[in-house]
Amino acid sequence: MRIGQGYDLHRLEAGYPLILGGITVPHDKGMVGHSDADVLSHAITDALLGAVALGNIGLLFPDTDPAYKGADSLVLLKEAWRRVQSTGYTIVNIDSTIVAQQPKLNPYIDTIRLRLAETLEIAVEQISVKAKTNEKVGPEGREEAISVQAVVLLQESLPG
């Protein structure tokens, strides 16, 4: 068994889409980043890579590489997962927490979980996504940023 932990934070600004787990969430602000700035997918990517000591998203898909400008973070997640699978591990479960004062995310959670499950080719029951406010404290609470913490449990694949 291997455990991986991931974290990411992106700044919010008007004029950008708000993408979480591959789903565009209606909001007057979106996240700024080199790729599509999907903070949830980034945190899960880092958790997966960390569990098998393959580095992090910035090493695999550097923000200095123009090839990743505006990239779909689910494509990056899928590639990272392919690399993790090649080490002989499968996902037991993923648990994640999105910290955002606004917008309210509970109406989108099931769709996000389904999209992530499809991307990783696992059961939706293996993915937990929770949304929390920061009680108006810190950059998330002031609606300046959204952050995500993610944990993944991997199990060595059985031969055959």
Side-chain angles (χ1 to χ4, degrees), residues 113-133:
R113 289 176 62 221
L114 183 60
R115 187 72 179 271
L116 290 169
E118 290 169 351
T119 299
L120 297 168
E121 298 177 348
I122 61 175
V124 72
E125 294 80 15
Q126 292 174 268
I127 301 176
S128 171
V129 176
K130 303 176 299 294
K132 300 284 191 181
T133 69

Side-chain angles (χ1 to χ4, degrees), residues 57-73:
I57 194 170
L59 291 173
L60 254 58
F61 314 109
D63 63 6
T64 55
D65 188 335
Y68 303 116
K69 179 71 176 161
D72 180 337
S73 293

Side-chain angles (χ1 to χ4, degrees), residues 25 98 103-112 129-132:
V25 176
I98 304 167
K104 297 301 181 196
L105 297 172
N106 282 336
Y108 306 97
I109 296 295
D110 288 341
T111 306
I112 290 169
V129 176
K130 303 176 299 294
K132 300 284 191 181

